[in-house]
Amino acid sequence: MRGVAYKALSCTAGEGGPSPMGWVGEGVSYRLRLPSPGLLRSPPSPAMRERGVGWIGGIATAVFLAACTVGPDYQRPDVPVPALYKEAGWKVGEPLDAIDRGAWWSVYKDPLLDDLEKQIDISNQNLKAAAAAFEQAEWIVAQARAGFFPTFDLNASAQRSRTGGGSSSSTGAGRSGFTTSLFSTSASASWTPDLWGRIRRTVEGDVASAQASAGDLASARLAAQGTLASDYLQLRMSDELKRLLDAAASYYSESVRITRNQYQSGTADQSAVSQAEAQLESTQAQAIAVGVTRAQLEHAIAVLIGKPPAEFSIPPTEAMIAVPVIPPEMPSALLERRPDIAATERLMASANAQIGVAVAAYYPTITLSADAGASALTLNRLLATTSRFWAFGSTFLETLFDAGARAAVVEETRAFFDQTIANYRQTVLTAFQQVEDQLAALRILAQEAEVQDKAVAAAFEAARIINNQYLAGTVAYTSVIVADQTALADAETAVNIRQTRLVASAALIQALGGGWDTGQLPSRERIEENAPLNFSPFPPADRVRVQ
């Protein structure tokens, strides 16, 4: 570009802001040469008109070469990870393939539970809300990516106006107004190149936020699956408790019949009959009360799979669900298995990118623009060569004083990043706690169940002996009642312990991340594919979804 004057502008990529000597920071210095303001104000020569496109292309090339990205690059902070779980020593050496990493609930070997879990993704409304939030995050990425590209506008106008009459001389001679028309068409384009990486950091942060939203979606799915498994296991244990109470009531009914016969034969008094009847009716009442808990669990399961409780029921079954063995992996694997940990880690990456966005505000903004069109007083002259106009140029903008507003924003983003680090580490610690809690629960409950089973066997044996003694007339019926109640209470305790163990096993699988791992987080390419840029000037067609 011969004869063109230039002014030099120096910049440095890094985190620092502008100094009195220029823009100084940590990184590599770049130099961008721009046309002087005097050149941009002077009328272009014919040669320059012909080379206008090449001039803009040269500026664009220089802008690309000068582009740099400010702000810190993200590095995941360290977290304390134990070498082994404190409560897992009793499971060392067990195989890790006991859990299906996809359908982890299949470890309970219950076909109905398998069918119910599969309906979570289809009908659970909380999961649909989380999926919509993830989709929203993807489109936010698309919005940010649009900043990389120029904007184009098309304008057409037609105006007809009339001026008012007024005095045209000192003598007061008036004249009438006149009517004019103006027709114009124009096209304009503008582009603000991403010199300092503000848009790149924004996209980087939005992609990380979308990945965090995907982690939230996985967490919501895992929570729904875990809740459904827990509710289902408790419902099946309610069936088991109901069977136990019904069996006891049947036994007590026979005791009432025997006691009445003895009363009629004169070998037993009325109090024995009354005690037997009270025992029977109390047990029947307990069996009926179990129905309340079962019905509420059934309703909760219906809502989890997106169905009205009135349209859903689970028939009782006599099948018993065994307590599975859940061997944990190494603690370090938990960081890759828990979707909530992955989500908080991605939020850290997003917060780190926002620091770069804030730092970029220290640096100048350069906008390239171009306009072309035609205007005429009559419509038939609108396409004439003499009616055409065009212009192109650039704008340089730098804030010299803002009373520390930008510095405050930078410090705010740094403080928020520190907050996300603390949240991440707390999430990791909580995850380890949850795993240790359930491992301890399973270990201790297994010991308790072993002792309780012995207590149940002893209680039933004692009840059998005392009942024989009563029939032989050596003890009062009160001893029979006490022995039977003790045996039933011990049996109920054993059922409750097994229920707690089953629920703890489901909670442990959930605490270990179920079947999820960080490889399922969507990549940037996948996010951009799901939410592509729309270069059409027309709005997207309305999407009608039937779910």
Side-chain angles (χ1 to χ4, degrees):
M1 297 180 60
R2 188 180 306 167
V4 179
Y6 287 89
K7 288 188 175 181
L9 169 68
S10 297
C11 74
T12 303
E15 297 186 42
S19 70
M21 302 301 295
W23 288 273
V24 180
E26 302 173 1
V28 181
S29 296
Y30 296 87
R31 181 171 295 274
L32 174 63
R33 292 163 56 85
L34 296 176
S36 67
L39 172 65
L40 297 180
R41 288 195 297 268
S42 61
S45 64
M48 285 192 64
R49 289 176 187 156
E50 295 177 358
R51 300 170 60 185
V53 175
W55 185 84
I56 294 178
I59 288 291
T61 302
V63 165
F64 272 122
L65 293 176
C68 51
T69 302
V70 298
D73 292 330
Y74 173 71
Q75 291 183 345
R76 185 168 68 177
D78 296 331
V79 292
V81 178
L84 294 172
Y85 288 112
K86 173 184 176 182
E87 302 290 345
W90 63 294
K91 290 187 177 297
V92 173
E94 294 179 347
L96 295 179
D97 57 358
I99 303 174
D100 186 334
R101 280 298 176 187
W104 57 264
W105 51 86
S106 63
V107 71
Y108 298 104
K109 297 180 174 58
D110 190 301
L112 181 55
L113 177 60
D114 292 345
D115 293 338
L116 293 174
E117 291 285 1
K118 293 174 183 177
Q119 297 181 48
I120 288 286
D121 278 342
I122 300 174
S123 303
N124 184 272
Q125 297 305 311
N126 290 333
L127 208 57
K128 287 177 181 283
F134 170 57
E135 183 179 3
Q136 178 186 15
E138 289 183 316
W139 288 112
I140 290 176
V141 174
Q143 293 177 41
R145 289 170 58 216
F148 287 121
F149 300 90
T151 59
F152 297 89
D153 298 306
L154 179 64
N155 178 53
S157 66
Q159 179 180 341
R160 187 168 178 81
S161 62
R162 176 180 174 80
T163 62
S167 176
S168 60
S169 67
S170 61
T171 60
R175 65 175 183 176
S176 61
F178 59 92
T179 302
T180 60
S181 298
L182 179 63
F183 303 91
S184 67
T185 61
S186 64
S188 61
S190 64
W191 179 45
T192 303
D194 190 27
L195 291 177
W196 320 115
R198 180 184 64 84
I199 299 175
R200 290 192 291 277
R201 290 299 192 193
T202 301
V203 173
E204 176 187 331
D206 290 342
V207 167
S209 295
Q211 291 171 327
S213 182
D216 292 338
L217 173 58
S219 293
R221 178 181 292 107
L222 180 58
Q225 292 170 346
T227 301
L228 190 150
S230 177
D231 289 348
Y232 183 83
L233 294 172
Q234 292 179 74
L235 183 144
R236 286 309 184 203
M237 293 310 298
S238 295
D239 289 343
E240 188 170 330
L241 180 58
K242 179 69 163 51
R243 290 196 302 270
L244 173 64
L245 293 171
D246 286 343
S250 178
Y251 171 77
Y252 296 153
S253 177
E254 181 63 17
S255 296
V256 169
R257 186 188 66 81
I258 294 174
T259 306
R260 284 174 178 171
N261 290 339
Q262 290 177 335
Y263 172 70
Q264 291 174 0
S265 63
T267 59
D269 56 17
Q270 180 62 43
S271 63
V273 176
S274 298
Q275 288 176 326
E277 291 174 345
Q279 184 183 42
L280 170 62
E281 291 167 357
S282 175
T283 304
Q284 290 174 336
Q286 291 182 57
I288 294 172
V290 173
V292 175
T293 301
R294 189 188 194 280
Q296 292 173 347
L297 290 168
E298 190 177 71
H299 300 161
I301 292 173
V303 173
L304 283 170
I305 61 175
K307 293 184 178 180
E311 300 177 2
F312 177 78
S313 64
I314 298 177
T317 178
E318 295 187 1
M320 295 180 61
I321 301 177
V323 179
V325 174
I326 312 297
E329 296 179 299
M330 298 299 292
S332 58
L334 193 66
L335 302 182
E336 307 297 325
R337 294 294 189 187
R338 290 274 296 235
D340 57 338
I341 293 178
T344 53
E345 187 274 330
R346 289 288 83 200
L347 288 178
M348 278 195 305
S350 176
N352 181 82
Q354 293 308 311
I355 297 175
V357 175
V359 172
Y362 276 109
Y363 297 86
T365 300
I366 298 175
T367 302
L368 306 178
S369 60
D371 296 271
S375 62
L377 297 178
T378 59
L379 188 61
N380 60 349
R381 293 184 56 82
L382 191 61
L383 301 179
T385 303
T386 56
S387 299
R388 299 175 184 173
F389 65 86
W390 60 270
F392 61 88
S394 62
T395 302
F396 177 93
L397 176 63
E398 167 62 19
T399 301
L400 298 180
F401 177 76
D402 63 359
R406 289 171 293 178
V409 173
V410 171
E411 294 305 320
E412 176 193 357
T413 55
R414 291 187 184 280
F416 181 68
F417 178 62
D418 292 340
Q419 177 186 350
T420 60
I421 293 176
N423 291 337
Y424 171 68
R425 288 172 174 162
Q426 184 61 39
T427 301
V428 173
L429 290 174
T430 301
F432 285 130
Q433 176 194 352
Q434 291 172 346
V435 174
E436 296 282 12
D437 286 349
Q438 301 310 321
L439 286 172
L442 288 173
R443 176 177 60 82
I444 296 171
L445 287 170
Q447 298 171 358
E448 182 183 7
E450 183 178 357
V451 176
Q452 186 62 33
D453 288 343
K454 295 178 181 179
V456 170
F460 273 97
E461 179 62 18
R464 185 188 66 80
I465 293 173
I466 292 175
N467 187 68
N468 290 336
Q469 291 175 343
Y470 168 72
L471 294 177
T474 59
V475 297
Y477 193 74
T478 303
S479 299
V480 175
I481 294 295
V482 172
D484 286 345
Q485 289 177 342
T486 301
L488 180 58
D490 285 343
E492 289 184 61
T493 300
V495 171
N496 291 333
I497 291 174
R498 207 159 71 81
Q499 173 177 304
T500 306
R501 293 177 66 196
L502 284 169
V503 172
S505 68
L508 175 58
I509 299 175
Q510 186 176 347
L512 292 171
W516 192 87
D517 62 65
T518 54
Q520 298 180 35
L521 279 180
S523 63
R524 175 170 178 169
E525 290 73 18
R526 179 181 169 188
I527 291 173
E528 294 177 350
E529 181 181 353
N530 291 343
L533 292 172
N534 180 19
F535 294 101
S536 170
F538 304 104
D542 291 338
R543 294 179 297 168
V544 179
R545 297 180 177 179
V546 180
Q547 308 233 358

